[in-house]
Amino acid sequence: MQQQRGQFISFEGSEGCGKSTQIARLERRLAESGRPPRRTREPGGTFIGEQVRHLLQHTEEAENMTAETELLLFAASRAQLVRETIAPALAAGTWVIADRFLDSTTVYQGAGRGLDREALAAINAFAVGEWMPDVTFLLDMDAAAAHERALASAGGHPDRMEKLPLVFFERVRQGYLDLAREFPDRIVTIDATGGIDEIAATIWTVCRERFGL
């Protein structure tokens, strides 16, 4: 009997939108339902990916990194994560929750950095192959409020991305909303300014309806 493929859930949104909190909530609910998921993060999630993460976020000498280099590093981290972790887990029937996936590149390096959308799509497709999320939760909120949250969470030590100006994150937010309109069957937009319990309940309701939980 062939093993049933696991479900693939991704979370997206600007820094400070509350992804980590909601991922932890969903992770716990799935475990309680008998489906303990594999959780990943981007960039990172593998030895190679974590080295790329450090380079992208915390290496002072990388402050002058070009947008093109940034794009390819994110894609490299994702390609390794898919083949080393995500694909084997899904093939084995394990559910996967991804803290960011290819939509982040489409938005941050596309809408945010202004790189060519067709080139982004080709690079994303090469990196992920057939492994696309079954549902993506976009936690949406005002860019200024989200940025303020992210900086507060950083405790005075923002990473390279968090140091970018507010106008960048305004473009990112709009990019996400545009993407949600383009892929309404996959991307579920949720108001991230609501209460934590309320947001978690909405996410769980969507999962129950989509996956028959």
Side-chain angles (χ1 to χ4, degrees), residues 53-175:
R53 183 184 185 89
H54 183 77
L55 179 61
L56 282 165
Q57 296 186 344
H58 303 296
T59 304
E60 292 183 6
E61 293 81 1
E63 289 294 329
N64 66 341
M65 184 184 299
T66 69
E68 292 82 1
T69 301
E70 184 179 85
L71 162 64
L72 293 170
L73 285 172
F74 275 114
S77 175
R78 183 172 304 122
Q80 186 69 27
L81 181 64
V82 165
R83 288 153 183 82
E84 182 177 326
T85 303
I86 293 176
L90 292 173
T94 300
W95 289 40
V96 173
I97 302 178
D99 184 348
R100 298 195 180 284
F101 199 57
L102 83 168
D103 295 318
S104 285
T105 291
T106 299
V107 171
Y108 276 76
Q109 281 69 55
R113 297 294 198 193
L115 295 180
D116 181 74
R117 180 69 183 272
E118 288 188 10
L120 282 168
I123 290 168
N124 273 336
F126 182 72
V128 308
E130 65 183 276
W131 305 97
M132 284 291 292
D134 297 295
V135 65
T136 296
F137 292 107
L138 169 59
L139 301 185
D140 173 62
M141 66 184 299
D142 175 74
H147 195 210
E148 186 176 329
R149 276 192 193 178
L151 292 176
S153 179
H157 300 285
D159 63 31
R160 193 178 65 87
M161 299 297 288
E162 291 165 343
K163 291 177 183 177
L164 292 169
L166 177 59
V167 66
F168 175 86
F169 294 102
E170 290 172 341
R171 292 196 299 267
V172 164
R173 184 196 184 194
Q174 188 57 53

Side-chain angles (χ1 to χ4, degrees), residues 12-28:
E12 296 285 351
S14 295
E15 277 78 6
C17 68
K19 286 188 292 80
S20 297
T21 298
Q22 293 304 326
I23 287 172
R25 289 290 189 98
L26 180 58
E27 190 175 29
R28 186 162 60 249

